[in-house]
Amino acid sequence: MSANRKFQSAWNHFLKGFYKRKSKKSATGLVRYVQRMHKQIDLAQDYGKIKLAILGDSNAENLASYEYMKKFDPIGVSINLAVSGTRADEWLDFFLKTKDGKKIYQEIHKAKILWNIGGNNILQNKMEVLKPSLEGLKKLFPFSYNCLVPPIWSRFMQFNQSQIELNHKVNLCNRYIKEIWREKAIDTYSPFLNPNTNEPFVLVHKDLVHFSKYGNSVRIPLILFHLLQSK
């Protein structure tokens, strides 16, 4: 059994459940989630050097289970620190302005970094800070990768914003990611887009925005292909 699989088994099947996902009630932003982050990092280091850190929002946390994280065996010991609902500007503030964020940065910045971030800037109407925040994250992690925001079921999300507005913002966010990450932008948009409807293919998502088990069965090999291009 690989070191990564041993770590994933110990973390996901045992230790993870001992630590609340959100622990610091008096804190704000990502600091509320740091206890579990620190514990995961500490345990991972017992199994070797951390080779991959997955960061970002719910479509990154979507990969945090044993079932998915074991698939990153070809990379090595892999951690998932993603937090659903978070935005690019929140992650930038976390790493630049908080004691916990600075500590975690020092522990992971030499590993491969995989981002899945930007979608909540769209859904939470925080587009004005998106591009400078993405640029800040790329500066902090210059060799990182970032996944494009996938197509979403925008016609069913007009309680949030209009379908036209949502689709425009997804395309704008993805344009920023491609401009900033260049060859390290991973296209997790086009392969899942039905060009006849401008919506996701059926079965790609388990809800309006999140990848399903089937979607992940396509997404993970696509991500691995890119990550394995550089040693």
Side-chain angles (χ1 to χ4, degrees):
M1 184 182 290
S2 70
N4 180 58
R5 199 161 296 205
K6 290 176 182 177
F7 160 65
Q8 299 303 336
S9 181
W11 175 249
N12 281 290
H13 294 157
F14 183 62
L15 282 179
K16 185 177 181 178
F18 284 94
Y19 304 103
K20 292 181 180 179
R21 183 171 176 273
K22 187 188 295 187
S23 57
K24 292 193 174 184
K25 293 183 179 179
S26 61
T28 58
L30 280 153
V31 175
R32 292 172 292 177
Y33 302 89
V34 296
Q35 182 187 43
R36 188 180 276 187
M37 291 184 187
H38 287 308
K39 296 299 182 182
Q40 185 180 174
I41 291 169
D42 289 346
L43 180 66
Q45 290 172 336
D46 289 341
Y47 289 85
K49 185 177 179 181
I50 295 173
K51 296 293 188 179
L52 171 67
I54 299 175
L55 307 174
D57 55 30
S58 52
N59 263 324
E61 190 172 10
N62 177 289
L63 297 174
S65 69
Y66 174 81
E67 176 186 6
Y68 296 135
M69 293 301 294
K70 71 180 182 180
K71 296 182 185 296
F72 292 96
D73 277 0
I75 305 294
V77 175
S78 303
I79 60 174
N80 191 317
L81 305 182
V83 178
S84 298
T86 54
R87 304 187 307 269
D89 51 297
E90 291 177 311
W91 279 98
L92 185 61
D93 286 346
F94 176 65
F95 285 124
L96 290 180
K97 298 179 181 180
T98 72
K99 181 179 178 181
D100 286 297
K102 291 175 182 178
K103 184 176 187 297
I104 289 171
Y105 174 80
Q106 290 301 321
E107 292 175 315
I108 68 170
H109 77 280
K110 292 183 179 179
K112 289 180 185 289
I113 302 295
L114 175 68
W115 284 104
N116 197 120
I117 196 68
N120 287 308
N121 286 82
I122 297 168
L123 299 179
Q124 298 174 25
N125 284 303
K126 294 288 184 179
M127 290 294 290
E128 72 279 1
V129 296
L130 177 58
K131 187 174 183 181
S133 298
L134 292 174
E135 289 171 337
L137 293 174
K138 182 61 164 62
K139 186 176 181 180
L140 274 177
F141 299 99
F143 303 106
S144 61
Y145 295 78
N146 199 351
C147 298
L148 301 190
V149 175
I152 60 176
W153 290 102
S154 53
R155 65 176 155 136
F156 301 115
M157 298 176 66
Q158 297 186 70
F159 57 86
N160 182 289
Q161 300 166 56
S162 73
Q163 182 177 7
I164 291 174
E165 188 175 12
L166 282 168
N167 288 340
H168 168 71
K169 288 179 178 178
V170 168
N171 288 328
L172 184 60
C173 177
N174 285 340
R175 191 181 84 194
Y176 292 157
I177 293 172
K178 287 186 283 187
E179 288 174 355
I180 295 166
W181 270 267
R182 298 177 181 265
E183 74 279 1
K184 291 184 183 293
I186 301 176
D187 187 0
T188 45
Y189 177 83
S190 301
F192 304 102
L193 179 71
N194 184 335
N196 296 320
T197 63
N198 202 36
E199 292 177 328
F201 284 111
V202 175
L203 302 180
V204 164
H205 289 340
K206 63 181 179 181
D207 52 30
L208 299 178
V209 298
H210 299 109
F211 282 103
S212 64
K213 186 173 183 178
Y214 170 75
N216 280 329
S217 73
V218 178
R219 176 169 67 139
I220 293 172
L222 182 62
I223 290 170
L224 279 170
F225 174 79
H226 285 81
L227 294 180
L228 290 169
Q229 296 306 300
S230 61
K231 298 299 182 182

